[in-house]
Amino acid sequence: MKRNIGNTDRFVRIIFGIILLILVMSGALENATLRWIILGVSSILIITSFLTFCPLYVLLGKNTCEVKKR
């Protein structure tokens, strides 16, 4: 897997994933289905930030990873 997530994107994904995780764990959502969906989205955000690879970015042709020049 080639890196396609940059450092800023990783930071935003981790923060947003943690916020969603706290929202689910605090019980602020009453709908059980919505809780599971948000838990899944939160997990995907956190996992892809640690892997520095997003399959959706490949489909969209997007790359936020900085290119190092030699």
Side-chain angles (χ1 to χ4, degrees), residues 14-54:
I14 289 173
I15 296 300
F16 194 60
I18 290 172
I19 289 171
L20 289 177
L21 192 59
I22 290 171
L23 184 66
V24 169
M25 295 300 180
S26 70
L29 303 171
E30 296 180 14
N31 189 348
T33 306
L34 184 60
R35 259 187 276 164
W36 282 107
I37 291 170
I38 291 180
L39 183 64
V41 170
S42 172
S43 301
I44 289 170
L45 288 172
I46 293 172
I47 290 170
T48 56
S49 68
F50 284 116
L51 294 176
T52 65
F53 176 77
C54 180

